[in-house]
Amino acid sequence: MYHTNSKREFSIKFQPQMQILRPSIHSRRANIIVKFQDLYGFAVEGNVDDVNILNEVREKVRQQGRVWWALEASKGANWYLLPQVSSLAEGIALKSSLKLSTLANAITLKRLIRKGIPPVLRPKVWFSLSGAAKKKSTVPESYYNDMTKAVEGKVTAATKQIDHDLPRTFPGHPWLDTQEGHAALRRVLVAYSFRDSDVGYCQGLNYVAALLLLVMKTEEDAFWMLAVLLENVLANDCYTNNLSGCHVEQRVFQDLLVKKCPRIAVHLEELEFDVSLVATEWFLCLFSKSLPSEVESPLFRTHFLSVAPTLSPSIMILMFSLTTNKFSIVPLLSRQLCGCGMSFSMRGQRFCFM
Amino acid sequence: MGAYRTDDDYDYLFKLVLIGDSGVGKSNLLSRFTRNEFSLESKSTIGVEFATRSIHVDDKVVKAQIWDTAGQERYRAITSAYYRGAVGALLVYDVTRHVTFENVERWLKELRDHTDSNIVIMLVGNKADLRHLRAVTTEDATAFAERENTFFMETSALESLNVENAFTEVLTQIYRVVSRKALEVGDDPAALPKGQTIAVGKDDVSAVKKVGCCSA
């Protein structure tokens, strides 16, 4: 299924002609660093172009919000949460529900999701369409509370590592980096470490869970989102003892890179650069560490809502954006590469990873 | 952008890796050495991060490309690419947490399994500023380093104590090994007649090995 999806997204973003190098006035402007807070309270630093792009993204989200409200007015509140509609949108056809209107709603919903979910609706839509709601409904109401109470005060290798990482998860964030934020994040991570002892706690989950807390607003919903993510959405064993699922993802990603971005693949090969070295973080933190919320949450969304079976296509879209320079996230995406002094030279244009 | 273009001018490029348990301060050692920055609010490292800095050894420019990675055990599964081509390593423990020193042995084994036997290793006891919390004595660490033929230094990334020294020492030792090797191999046989190589020959290199790192 994702082949057609990814093609469509690629065609929007991929332009065969490279843009010309920025003239000097732009490069001067590019050196002005602007600091601001993003949607979820993260401090973002970027040059003027980055800020302009993020503003464009925000404007699109606002426009998209208006589409959602209009549909809610005509189709009724929460129309997208009806089980028939949401399961169809997820690609599961319930035979009893194959009414034309339901089908139309499912198609509309899918299209809406791809274009973006307004921030206020994200908790509701993510929770329902990711399958987290279903997962939660299979256990008693008090599951999460009982769990956190039962594991209180227990010390394991996982809890030790979690305690070590709490202050190192988005330090400086106005809520996460407070006692309250640390305590909430700790409860979610510790509870999950006991729910799945194979995973326990893997560094990287701290960033994912923290972001889920910010989006979902409640600990319990964040916990269930984390559960559905690890148990149903991501490749198996992404975070278990030898990160084998993550290795599988890396291979898929490398194959896709060769197929879809052969020039980058060849260039990286010439440099003898193993892309998995930088991509590991992308797969394990789901970009929560490397992209601003405005860019990152659409990726989360596509992934959560089962539009793509592995993370690799989403990353490919990013790589495509990067090569076409259509979407100037290069500086944000590639901080890790800059120390390496890597540069891409494509079609005469030099892309520096700075 | 200019930063790394000027950086491109170097005589030697050495890859160093930072290893050690989670939270011992690897990333802060890296940022202190390459950018002279220390952050109490640092994020835990996932995957691999890189930074470079050039220093002068003799009259040569030596560029260090330093790799930093996550310390958690399960991340070691990704590390064969991490170690590839490394000629130096800083094996870091936290002087206030004894367990991180106990794990040094495992890290050392891992390092020796994955790298060339000529690799220069420096054992680094970080957070030496936390004197009242010290859990690993300098004597224990010195003894260990002697036994394992590694260099040893105590550092504080916070107080910028010995950080420069630790990296510079590793880079200088690598430079010595490499420049001797170059003489030994003799890229240009005419310029370096065989008789000349004997003077700086194998004994000399193994002498460096004895101080610098393990023998094969």
Side-chain angles (χ1 to χ4, degrees), chain A residues 114-126:
Chain A
R114 282 217 197 92
K115 285 191 173 172
I117 306 166
V120 278
L121 291 183
R122 273 176 210 167
K124 209 158 51 169
V125 177
W126 284 24

Side-chain angles (χ1 to χ4, degrees), chain A residues 42-295:
Chain A
F42 292 105
V44 181
E45 265 185 38
N47 61 34
V48 178
D49 292 334
D50 296 329
V51 174
N52 286 340
I53 283 160
L54 287 182
N55 280 338
E56 264 175 48
V57 174
R58 279 182 188 180
E59 183 48 38
K60 277 193 188 133
V61 171
R62 265 193 293 274
Q63 282 171 11
Q64 193 57 21
R66 285 194 279 275
V67 178
W68 281 79
W69 309 136
L71 279 169
E72 200 144 36
S74 66
K75 290 179 191 287
N78 295 344
W79 63 276
Y80 41 83
L81 299 185
L82 294 173
Q84 298 93 329
V85 177
S86 53
S87 56
L88 258 182
E90 279 177 54
I92 309 158
L94 305 173
K95 275 196 178 142
S96 58
S97 70
L98 277 178
K99 274 193 226 153
L100 208 58
S101 61
T102 319
L103 197 65
N105 278 348
I107 293 168
T108 313
L109 178 58
K110 206 162 183 170
R111 212 165 39 214
L112 277 178
I113 288 171
R114 282 217 197 92
K115 285 191 173 172
I117 306 166
V120 278
L121 291 183
R122 273 176 210 167
K124 209 158 51 169
V125 177
W126 284 24
F127 196 65
S128 164
L129 296 194
S130 65
K134 210 185 285 168
K135 196 174 262 298
K136 188 186 168 191
S137 69
T138 59
V139 294
E141 235 350 73
S142 58
Y143 179 94
Y144 178 73
N145 283 333
D146 294 347
M147 182 80 143
T148 48
K149 267 191 205 119
V151 301
E152 218 174 77
K154 288 207 161 72
V155 179
T156 62
T159 62
K160 278 186 202 161
Q161 186 66 52
I162 291 168
D163 286 331
H164 219 91
D165 284 346
L166 289 176
R168 303 199 294 161
T169 310
F170 301 122
H173 185 277
W175 180 74
L176 283 170
D177 199 8
T178 60
Q179 266 193 345
E180 190 192 336
H182 287 176
L185 181 59
R186 186 180 196 279
R187 280 191 294 271
V188 172
L189 288 172
V190 170
Y192 195 81
S193 78
F194 280 92
R195 177 181 165 92
D196 186 343
S197 55
D198 284 341
V199 172
Y201 168 70
C202 177
Q203 288 192 301
L205 287 179
N206 50 331
Y207 297 105
V208 176
L211 201 81
L212 286 173
L213 271 172
L214 293 177
V215 176
M216 303 304 291
K217 314 285 184 216
T218 76
E219 255 178 73
E220 189 168 359
D221 287 359
F223 171 82
W224 286 111
M225 286 299 285
L226 190 66
V228 83
L229 183 65
L230 267 64
E231 292 157 20
N232 305 75
V233 179
L234 294 176
N236 285 338
D237 292 322
C238 252
Y239 297 92
T240 50
N241 215 10
N242 53 8
L243 310 177
S244 59
C246 181
H247 293 286
V248 172
E249 286 269 24
Q250 306 273 11
R251 285 304 303 268
V252 174
F253 175 54
Q254 277 167 12
D255 288 350
L256 273 172
L257 199 62
V258 171
K259 275 192 192 130
K260 302 283 184 185
C261 304
R263 297 175 75 95
I264 294 186
V266 167
H267 187 71
L268 291 173
E269 204 174 318
E270 277 168 10
L271 290 172
E272 293 182 28
F273 187 81
D274 186 342
V275 74
S276 69
L277 286 169
V278 285
T280 304
E281 189 203 276
W282 303 343
F283 284 104
L284 290 178
C285 301
L286 309 178
F287 293 100
S288 53
K289 248 187 111 182
S290 32
L291 293 178
S293 315
E294 276 82 353
V295 183

Side-chain angles (χ1 to χ4, degrees), chain A residues 161 199 203 207 239 241 339, chain B residues 22 41 44 50 52 72 74-75:
Chain A
Q161 186 66 52
V199 172
Q203 288 192 301
Y207 297 105
Y239 297 92
N241 215 10
Chain B
S22 170
E41 299 188 330
S44 51
F50 316 89
T52 59
Q72 199 183 13
R74 63 190 73 183
Y75 279 87

